[in-house]
Amino acid sequence: MTEKKKMSPTKKILLSMLIGLVVGIGLHYIIPDGFFKQSVLIDGVFYLFGQGFVRLLQMLVVPLVFFSIGTGVMQMRDISQFGRVAIRTLVLYLITTALSVAVALFLAKMLKPGVGMNLVEAANSSTPAADAEKAPTLIETIVNIIPKNPIEALANGNMLQVIFWAFITGIIVGRFGEELKPLEDLMEAGNDFMMKVTALVMKAAPIGVFALIARTFTDIGLGIVGPLLTFLASVLGSMVIVILLAYLPLIVLTSKSSPMHFLKKVFPVYTFAFSSASSNATIPLTLSSCDTLGIPREISSFTIPLGATINMNGTAIYQGCAVIFIANAYGIDLTFGNLVTVVLTAVLSSIGTAGVPGSGMIMLSMVLSSVGLPVEGVSLIMSVERIVDMFRTALNVTGDVVATFISATQERLLDKERYLSDEKPIMEEVGL
Ligand code: ASP
């Protein structure tokens, strides 16, 4: 008992992930299919604790983002510097997403997943993805950032609209501090309150992560991976390439120090994004890890929720690989022009992908249709969807932190001392 208490939260989460994996795979093969496995374990205990934890985190997101951005903007000294960081981050988001899908297309072209499947396109088919809503145009997306009703935006958790409203609140309260003193105090107290609630919820992370992972693997085991091995290899290989050839060199170049500090502090975020498969639900943890990286809240409270909404490098990789896989499976040749179209639509679809489980798969139909590939092809990779979603979410969130870190560093806003320190994430900080 005492020993367990001494273990750091990061180690605890990692351990519960591994135990969840072993327990899940074990249960998948030991317990026969039936009521106990499905209703008591998968949809019972594991669902209760896993989904319960995800919901606890979701419960934090809207007020946390609102107060965090509000107070951040309120205390901001230099709005123009903030503008520069915001634009830089936005550009980095777009470039890294385009780069991710390009890497994925390249690697998948080499590994040739799906070749030899010789499928024939069905004349009239429909899949859940085919029935997906049409993605809004870019102009619509921009106009939709302005909430018609801020209360509705908060109630529905429309992230871009929440960011917009929090921004306006922060600017006005910051500018008329004296006149609006009660509001200023309220924002600050709200922010402190949310940090404390976040710390409290994080206490449940080990059990939540265990239940999420155990549930997934009790359900699917390892068997389904076999026939889709090259597809998975293309996705994971592209992720490794993006991390090793883009993220880490950029971190080293901008921070002029070993990437170990960065990796250590981002690791808890990575594990949680992996278990929950939701960038949105991970926001509270991502923000806390940005704190420990020395990124000021003024910046991260804006760029992280924005990134969780529009920056999906992992999803872009998945979409690039899925395009090649499905084209190969149906024996359809893609021209160079097609590949360029895929890069563009994957970037747009990544903006439209919500940071919740499975949304990347829904948006895949848009990318497939842009080059005339059969949308029903999505069903071919459905069996590995959850696993791929876990990996792509982890990369999505890491991409948000990387871009935020780089732009904060370039604007000399990074607290280097804090970055190089051994500071631990939020769960250890607040004595609850
Ligand atoms: N689950 C991913 C995320 O939350 C989105 C996706 O499905 O690709 O970031």
Side-chain angles (χ1 to χ4, degrees):
M1 247 349 224
T2 8
E3 247 182 39
K4 221 179 171 199
K5 272 205 168 134
K6 274 190 213 139
M7 197 188 283
S8 80
T10 310
K11 281 199 191 121
K12 252 193 227 169
I13 293 181
L14 182 63
L15 195 67
S16 42
M17 215 170 115
L18 292 177
I19 298 177
L21 189 74
V22 174
V23 169
I25 294 174
L27 290 175
H28 178 82
Y29 293 104
I30 295 168
I31 312 251
D33 287 346
F35 177 79
F36 182 71
K37 189 179 194 175
Q38 193 60 43
S39 305
V40 178
L41 294 177
I42 299 176
D43 295 333
V45 191
F46 292 153
Y47 184 78
L48 175 72
F49 287 100
Q51 210 44 37
F53 180 55
V54 170
R55 286 186 72 115
L56 279 174
L57 280 155
Q58 286 169 331
M59 165 186 92
L60 303 175
V61 171
V62 170
L64 182 70
V65 168
F66 176 74
F67 285 120
S68 193
I69 295 188
T71 41
V73 174
M74 214 168 77
Q75 288 153 1
M76 204 178 283
R77 308 250 162 274
D78 183 356
I79 287 271
S80 65
Q81 186 176 41
F82 170 82
R84 280 200 305 275
V85 181
I87 291 177
R88 207 188 280 263
T89 313
L90 205 65
V91 171
L92 274 167
Y93 281 164
L94 295 177
I95 294 178
T96 48
T97 308
L99 177 86
S100 303
V101 62
V103 167
L105 289 174
F106 178 76
L107 192 68
K109 273 256 169 219
M110 292 196 358
L111 295 181
K112 303 188 179 23
V115 165
M117 288 176 83
N118 300 326
L119 299 180
V120 181
E121 200 174 329
N124 226 336
S125 62
S126 170
T127 65
D131 297 335
E133 282 173 43
K134 263 224 153 316
T137 64
L138 192 60
I139 297 294
E140 265 167 4
T141 310
I142 293 172
V143 172
N144 282 344
I145 294 175
I146 304 171
K148 276 198 236 163
N149 173 353
I151 308 295
E152 190 189 15
L154 290 164
N156 292 339
N158 183 320
M159 211 40 75
L160 294 180
Q161 296 186 350
V162 171
I163 293 175
F164 187 86
W165 180 242
F167 204 83
I168 302 255
T169 310
I171 290 190
I172 300 296
V173 175
R175 189 155 177 146
F176 300 97
E178 275 310 302
E179 251 172 88
L180 301 176
K181 188 84 178 92
L183 268 186
E184 189 178 324
D185 291 345
L186 178 77
M187 294 296 286
E188 273 167 7
N191 194 35
D192 282 354
F193 169 72
M194 285 316 299
M195 300 278 270
K196 292 187 167 53
V197 186
T198 306
L200 178 64
V201 169
M202 285 306 169
K203 299 252 168 210
I207 178 89
V209 166
F210 164 79
L212 286 166
I213 299 276
R215 178 172 197 264
T216 303
F217 286 93
T218 305
D219 194 15
I220 61 180
L222 290 172
I224 38 82
V225 172
L228 291 168
L229 217 56
T230 27
F231 170 67
L232 282 180
S234 316
V235 173
L236 298 186
S238 308
M239 291 181 174
V240 171
I241 294 178
V242 167
I243 293 174
L244 292 183
L245 298 186
Y247 289 176
L248 293 187
L250 282 170
I251 297 289
V252 173
L253 277 178
T254 47
S255 73
K256 302 198 175 50
S257 57
S258 136
M260 280 326 278
H261 301 282
F262 182 88
L263 291 175
K264 255 195 189 152
K265 290 181 173 178
V266 172
F267 191 73
V269 182
Y270 200 88
T271 50
F272 185 67
F274 183 79
S275 327
S276 68
S278 168
S279 312
N280 263 2
T282 312
I283 290 175
L285 195 56
T286 320
L287 284 175
S288 124
S289 129
C290 284
D291 295 345
T292 63
L293 284 168
I295 300 169
R297 270 277 166 144
E298 291 101 287
I299 304 301
S300 60
S301 64
F302 170 72
T303 57
I304 293 301
L306 182 72
T309 314
I310 67 165
N311 183 43
M312 309 274 170
N313 299 351
T315 305
I317 286 179
Y318 154 78
Q319 294 179 336
C321 295
V323 162
I324 301 292
F325 174 79
I326 292 169
N328 286 344
Y330 286 92
I332 299 170
D333 269 338
L334 292 174
T335 62
F336 183 71
N338 286 152
L339 297 183
V340 175
T341 309
V342 171
V343 173
L344 293 177
T345 36
V347 172
L348 286 182
S349 105
S350 140
I351 295 175
T353 303
V356 296
S359 70
M361 190 187 75
I362 308 280
M363 295 304 281
L364 176 60
S365 59
M366 175 182 141
V367 184
L368 293 174
S369 335
S370 74
V371 284
L373 287 173
V375 175
E376 75 261 21
V378 174
S379 56
L380 301 175
I381 44 176
M382 213 87 111
S383 59
V384 285
E385 165 56 17
R386 181 68 189 191
I387 303 221
V388 176
D389 198 2
M390 291 159 99
F391 280 105
R392 63 182 191 244
T393 308
L395 198 80
N396 287 346
V397 174
T398 314
D400 302 340
V401 182
V402 168
T404 300
F405 181 86
I406 294 169
S407 27
T409 314
Q410 295 233 290
E411 277 297 329
R412 296 183 208 293
L413 286 171
L414 189 84
D415 180 344
K416 194 85 188 265
E417 217 171 289
R418 196 167 178 191
Y419 172 55
L420 298 175
S421 75
D422 281 333
E423 190 182 345
K424 302 284 186 308
I426 193 163
M427 323 66 118
E428 261 174 88
E429 298 276 291
V430 184
L432 277 162

